[in-house]
Each structure stands twice: as C-alpha cells, then as structure tokens.
Amino acid sequence: MEQRFYLDEEYTKLGQAGFNVSRAEFVSAGYFPTKSWIGGDGQQFKPGLFLHAYLIHDIPKTCCYLFGDFEQLFEESSYQPRMLYSDLGLAFAPFKAMRMLEFRVGSEFNTDWHASGSVRNMSLPYVSVRLNF
C-alpha cells in the first residue's frame, strides 16, 4: 500500500499526449503488509513501512536534468531502517520532437544498514536508453 504526493504539474497530464512519467516528481509513504525481502547479506527480512521519493532538477539552458530516486525500507518488527535503494544520475533528452526518448547515465546504490551486524553497500553504474510512454 502506498500513498503518493506529486510535487509538480506533470502528473496532471496523465492520459494526454506529452505526459512523461520520468518527470513526475513525488514523495510517498507506504507499508508492505505481506512479503519477504532479501537483504544485502543474502538473509531474508520482513519489511513494513517504506518511504519513497523521486526528484528531478532541470539544468538551465540544456535538455538535461538530474534525477534521484530513493526508497528506504524499515523492518516490520523493529521499525529500524534496513534497506536504502538509490538511483542517481543525469538524463538527456536531445530531440525536441521526441522528448520521450531519454539517455541516462547513473548509478544504483543499495545500502543494507543491518547486514549481519554491519553496513553493506553495493553500487551498479549504468548507461541506458529509455522510451517513456
């Protein structure tokens, strides 16, 4: 279950030409009533509360923007922070006639705050091409 709060006007264009889900900024809070997740140490845990934010920042006079996607999961039993999933990078939409086509350079970061008693970080740099529809 999740409740999102959109921070800009992009989501009001949903269902219309020109809506771009990559530019719809939001913050949200939610709860996983059922599920089991695998932590950074390979051990299962039961998530509960989660917080999620997707934010962008346009770079003036360019067709680029910075983006950040953050999701913090908490363990159900103790409400201690457990997993932080982050995706940070630069998006480039060079074609005015095709704003839905993006090229991205970024890195995904996964942090497990309680992986067998220690903090465990993993990073995955990437280059991607996205067609948003």
Side-chain angles (χ1 to χ4, degrees):
M1 297 182 293
E2 178 182 24
Q3 178 61 53
R4 285 187 176 182
F5 302 95
Y6 287 92
L7 304 175
D8 59 12
E9 298 297 317
E10 186 65 33
Y11 202 74
T12 61
K13 300 177 196 171
L14 180 64
Q16 301 173 25
F19 171 68
N20 188 341
V21 69
S22 291
R23 300 189 61 81
E25 296 181 283
F26 68 87
V27 294
S28 71
Y31 191 82
F32 287 108
T34 62
K35 280 205 183 218
S36 179
W37 285 49
I38 305 294
D41 58 357
Q43 301 298 311
Q44 288 189 358
F45 72 96
K46 185 152 175 54
L49 175 70
F50 69 89
L51 303 172
H52 191 174
Y54 177 75
L55 306 168
I56 65 170
H57 178 73
D58 288 315
I59 300 173
K61 300 179 183 176
T62 70
C63 51
C64 301
Y65 64 91
L66 301 171
F67 64 88
D69 190 1
F70 309 94
E71 186 171 20
Q72 176 67 63
L73 290 135
F74 296 84
E75 289 196 55
E76 182 184 58
S77 59
S78 62
Y79 293 100
Q80 296 273 339
R82 179 61 193 256
M83 294 294 297
L84 174 63
Y85 298 101
S86 307
D87 184 6
L88 304 167
L90 174 73
F92 180 62
F95 308 113
K96 288 189 183 222
M98 293 181 59
R99 285 289 180 209
M100 307 306 254
L101 177 65
E102 291 183 348
F103 300 91
R104 287 187 169 204
V105 176
S107 188
E108 293 181 354
F109 301 92
N110 297 331
T111 303
D112 188 339
W113 302 108
H114 297 287
S116 303
S118 64
V119 175
R120 180 170 291 184
N121 294 302
M122 293 172 276
S123 175
L124 178 64
Y126 67 88
V127 175
S128 70
V129 177
R130 293 176 56 148
L131 181 58
N132 300 305
F133 59 94

